[in-house]
Amino acid sequence: MAYTLTEIIDNFGVITLNREDKRNALSGALIYDLINSLEFMERNKVRVVILRASSRVKCWSAGHDVAELPTTNVDPLRYSDPLELGIRAIRKYPAPVIAMIHGTVWGGACDIAINCDLIIGDPTCTFAITPAKLGVPYNPSGIMHFLSRVPLNIAKEMFFTALPIEAERAERVGIVNHLVPEAELEKFTYDLARHIGNHSSESIAVMKEQARIIGDSFPINPETWEYIQELRRKVYQGKHYYEGISAFMEKRKPNFE
Ligand code: YXS
């Protein structure tokens, strides 16, 4: 079963999330398919990659597959977690990756989307980062991604409320580059990819990589990292995290007493 579908059109490639029965939840298997699809695109020297879902979905992606979140005192967003591997694969991909978003985006899928180089959305797109609903202590790199995308107060509102940011506001606060009518989303995004693909791929690749390196340069000393990890360990080894996952799996509201 391919959890991503790949297509090459002119000078760009399209990767379509393909796990609709689970609302494109980002299981390890789906992420590994995504990484394989990116490698396929790189081998075929496509100039831009579009990451999309089928136009018939209401949900672009429901985020990390909750059934795969560890419940044995392991960091749910550790460096080697497939979600993190997928995010880094997009960030390091040597060409622009454009997220084309029709539908709702949840949790770790928000992190995937904002780590694409551009987001083109339609009026159905919404963005909700949801660790607070599950008792998940989001990770430093994930928080850094949001802080490099939206102002601090917006990032805090997103993390504290876990509520979706609707399309108009998503464009206003800078999550979305362009908001276009639903019927025009595909043509607009594909035309933009074709346009970028006609420019120098070498120049664009080196500018993307510089932006990643410079954008990630946060001077933090090792003791501070250890402090952060200690804070997070207390949460993912605590009662709230276990209650959050159990409640989701039992399809009931969590009780974070
Ligand atoms: O009951 P079945 O087997 O049909 O499966 C249901 C859902 O359990 C499944 N599903 C998921 N499975 C694993 N992980 C998920 N994240 C997930 N989301 C959904 O898909 C089947 C259909 O779901 P259903 O009936 O709820 O569909 P719907 O159309 O009524 O509602 C769609 C959503 C997306 C609004 C709803 O499924 C939903 O709220 N999903 C959870 C969104 C969410 O909270 N995601 C955060 C995941 S945790 C994460 O990303 C990070 C670790 S963090 O927490 O830090 O952000």
Side-chain angles (χ1 to χ4, degrees):
M1 168 76 189
Y3 291 116
T4 55
L5 306 173
T6 51
E7 186 185 5
I8 293 179
I9 305 169
D10 303 336
N11 58 0
F12 64 93
V14 182
I15 298 175
T16 303
L17 301 173
N18 182 42
R19 192 188 181 211
E20 292 173 35
D21 62 326
K22 295 287 186 184
R23 303 300 180 268
N24 290 333
L26 303 171
S27 59
L30 188 156
I31 292 288
Y32 293 126
D33 277 355
L34 171 59
I35 292 171
N36 289 337
S37 297
L38 284 170
E39 289 165 355
F40 167 78
M41 295 296 179
E42 190 171 355
R43 284 196 302 278
N44 285 277
K45 300 194 182 332
V46 302
R47 314 293 286 263
V48 179
V49 171
I50 292 171
L51 180 61
R52 63 169 295 173
S54 149
S55 48
R56 61 173 173 267
V57 300
K58 286 197 176 65
C59 168
W60 191 81
S61 171
H64 200 298
D65 188 323
V66 177
E68 296 186 0
L69 285 172
T71 52
T72 52
N73 290 338
V74 168
D75 184 345
L77 294 170
R78 62 205 174 284
Y79 188 78
S80 59
D81 182 83
L83 174 68
E84 302 303 316
L85 299 177
I87 288 169
R88 290 198 297 273
I90 290 169
R91 292 168 62 79
K92 291 180 180 167
Y93 185 78
V97 178
I98 301 176
M100 183 182 113
I101 301 189
H102 166 80
T104 55
V105 186
W106 304 86
C110 262
D111 213 341
I112 287 273
I114 64 171
N115 278 287
C116 291
D117 299 290
L118 288 78
I119 295 180
I120 314 296
D122 71 18
T124 68
C125 75
T126 69
F127 302 85
I129 182 65
T130 53
K133 278 169 55 177
L134 287 168
V136 170
Y138 217 67
N139 59 355
S141 61
I143 289 173
M144 177 186 76
H145 301 151
F146 279 83
L147 293 182
S148 60
R149 190 72 174 227
V150 295
L152 178 61
N153 61 315
I154 303 293
K156 285 181 175 176
E157 179 189 339
M158 292 182 76
F159 277 102
F160 298 169
T161 67
L163 290 174
I165 298 270
E166 308 285 332
E168 296 270 322
R169 187 160 181 233
E171 184 188 33
R172 208 165 49 244
V173 301
I175 296 173
V176 172
N177 290 70
H178 294 276
L179 197 54
V180 300
E182 204 171 323
E184 295 167 25
L185 177 65
E186 183 174 295
K187 181 175 182 329
F188 182 96
T189 310
Y190 285 26
D191 287 350
L192 183 63
R194 206 173 277 112
H195 171 82
I196 295 172
N198 290 331
H199 292 321
S200 159
S201 55
E202 287 178 10
S203 159
I204 288 172
V206 81
M207 290 188 285
K208 172 172 174 175
E209 182 61 352
Q210 287 177 82
R212 182 185 70 82
I213 293 166
I214 295 164
D216 286 1
S217 48
F218 281 67
I220 282 192
N221 72 46
E223 187 185 308
T224 305
W225 278 116
E226 285 161 8
Y227 168 59
I228 288 174
Q229 294 309 6
E230 186 66 26
L231 287 179
R232 297 185 59 246
R233 198 171 302 122
K234 285 202 181 91
V235 175
Y236 65 74
Q237 292 182 349
K239 291 195 180 68
H240 280 196
Y241 174 66
Y242 187 73
E243 165 60 11
I245 306 298
S246 309
F248 184 91
M249 299 311 291
E250 294 159 17
K251 297 188 187 287
R252 62 175 172 79
K253 273 198 176 309
N255 176 10
F256 292 129
E257 283 312 313

